[in-house]
Amino acid sequence: MTGAAGDIGAIGRHLTVMLRAKGHRVRALVRRDDERAEGLRRLGAEVVEGDLTDLASMHRAIEGCPRIYFGMSVSAAYLEATVNVAAVARHHGVEAFVNMSQMTVAQMSITETTDSPQHKLHWLAEQALAWSGLPVVTVRPTVFLESFFLRLAAAGVRNHDELALPLGGSRTSPISAVDVARAVSVILDDPAHHIGQVYNLTSFESADLEHFARAFSAALGRTIRYRDVPLSPWMDKLRELGVPTHLAEHLAVMAELHTAGRYDRITDDLFKLTGTKPTSVYEFVKSNAAEFTRVEVPA
C-alpha cells in the first residue's frame, strides 16, 4: 500500500492495522525510513522506501503483491505517480488495484472539470486507470473529518471557540479516514466481486456548519460557534503558514464548491460495504477532544 506513513487524514496506517488483524501480509511504501516507518514495522508491515514516480521503487514495492491500495496526498505529481504505479502493477499482473479518488470526480466529465488542479488530475487518473485494463476498484470519499476539522479548523476551536471556515451556509458530509480505511479493508480482503465498482463514501448526514458547531459544543462541553470567513484572507493565512500553492488552490476551489452546494451529498455505500454507520462529528470531536482544547500553562 502507498501512503502508509501519512499524517492527518491518511488512510494507510489505519488500513495496515485492519489488514494485519485479518491475517494479511502488508507491504508499505514510505518516502522516508523514519520513526513513522518504524511504527509500521511494529504493526507487522514490511516497509519499502521509495518514490511513487520512480520505476525502480515501484518494482520493489509491487513485485509479489497481488493487491494494491493506491492513495496519494494532494500533489502536482499525482497523475505521473498514478500512471507510474499502474504501469508497474500491470506488468506484474496484480489481481486488484484499489484507487483512492475524490467524490467531486463524480460531477466531472469530458466537457467539465473544476478549477482545482488536483481535481483535474484525479479525473485524468481515473481515465488512465480505466484505459489500463487493470482490475480497478475506485473509492471516492467526500472530505475527511481529519483534514476538514483537525488540519483546517482545530486552532480556531482551540484558541477562539469557533469553527472559522470559508464555507458560507453550505451543507456537507465529511467522513472519517478510519471509516474509509474500513471500507478499503473490506475490498482488499476479498476483492473479486468489487472489481469495476465505484464507491462514493459520505457521512450519514449532510448538514451546515452551524449544525456541526453544535455537535462540537456538545462534545467539548463549551459553546463553539461557526464563523464564515472570507475566502481571500483565509487563503492569505494558508500562504503565511507555508501551504504549497497547488494545495492552497485546491482548498480554495473546495471552499467555493462547498458554498455552491456541491458537497451536499449522502450515500449508503459505506454501510453496504462494512455494515457500520459512519462516525458522527460528535463522536469524532469527542475522541479528539485534546486537539480542540487549549492547554492552560500554570502561572
Side-chain angles (χ1 to χ4, degrees), residues 46-127:
E46 175 193 353
V47 175
V48 175
E49 185 178 3
D51 188 315
L52 290 168
T53 62
D54 176 63
L55 275 173
S57 294
M58 288 306 97
H59 281 287
R60 289 197 308 273
I62 292 172
E63 186 174 12
C65 285
R67 304 171 192 177
I68 292 176
Y69 164 73
F70 175 78
M72 184 182 183
S73 58
V74 175
S75 169
Y78 181 84
L79 180 59
E80 178 188 0
T82 305
V83 175
N84 192 61
V85 174
V88 178
R90 180 170 176 172
H91 172 79
H92 289 288
V94 302
E95 66 183 35
F97 188 109
V98 180
N99 175 46
M100 184 56 55
S101 188
Q102 294 190 357
M103 184 173 287
T104 308
V105 174
Q107 301 171 331
M108 296 164 65
S109 70
I110 192 65
T111 58
E112 182 181 4
T113 63
T114 77
D115 292 330
S116 161
Q118 185 67 27
H119 283 153
K120 177 69 174 298
L121 296 178
H122 271 284
W123 184 82
L124 288 171
E126 285 199 21
Q127 308 312 300

Side-chain angles (χ1 to χ4, degrees), residues 171-201:
R171 298 164 68 90
T172 186
S173 55
I175 188 169
S176 169
V178 179
D179 290 332
V180 176
R182 189 176 296 115
V184 174
S185 74
V186 169
I187 296 169
L188 286 171
D189 185 48
D190 185 15
H193 62 286
H194 298 289
I195 302 302
Q197 299 298 312
V198 176
Y199 295 105
N200 295 298
L201 304 182

Side-chain angles (χ1 to χ4, degrees), residues 125-289:
E126 285 199 21
Q127 308 312 300
L129 289 174
W131 303 331
S132 72
L134 283 166
V136 176
V137 184
T138 302
V139 179
R140 295 173 178 162
T142 184
V143 291
F144 290 123
L145 283 167
E146 289 82 356
S147 53
F148 201 60
F149 289 133
L150 287 181
R151 189 185 294 275
L152 298 177
V157 175
R158 186 169 54 244
N159 299 324
H160 305 292
D161 291 336
E162 63 180 20
L163 279 174
L165 292 165
L167 303 180
S170 62
R171 298 164 68 90
T172 186
S173 55
I175 188 169
S176 169
V178 179
D179 290 332
V180 176
R182 189 176 296 115
V184 174
S185 74
V186 169
I187 296 169
L188 286 171
D189 185 48
D190 185 15
H193 62 286
H194 298 289
I195 302 302
Q197 299 298 312
V198 176
Y199 295 105
N200 295 298
L201 304 182
T202 74
S203 175
F204 65 90
E205 65 177 350
S206 183
D208 61 23
L209 273 292
E210 298 283 357
H211 173 87
F212 292 139
R214 290 191 291 273
F216 267 77
S217 300
L220 297 174
R222 67 185 201 268
T223 300
I224 307 299
R225 294 182 173 84
Y226 168 54
R227 180 166 66 90
D228 178 30
V229 299
L231 181 58
S232 182
W234 187 73
M235 288 289 293
D236 290 341
K237 184 65 176 178
L238 292 181
R239 295 187 184 97
E240 288 174 13
L241 294 172
V243 174
T245 299
H246 180 85
L247 175 56
E249 291 176 353
H250 174 60
L251 292 173
V253 173
M254 287 183 66
E256 292 170 343
L257 293 176
H258 266 95
T259 302
R262 295 276 290 274
Y263 285 82
D264 183 12
R265 305 182 66 187
I266 300 177
T267 76
D268 61 355
D269 283 2
L270 180 73
F271 184 80
K272 288 178 179 177
L273 282 167
T274 67
T276 59
K277 288 181 63 176
T279 303
S280 70
V281 169
Y282 173 86
E283 293 167 331
F284 174 78
V285 175
K286 195 77 173 175
S287 64
N288 292 279

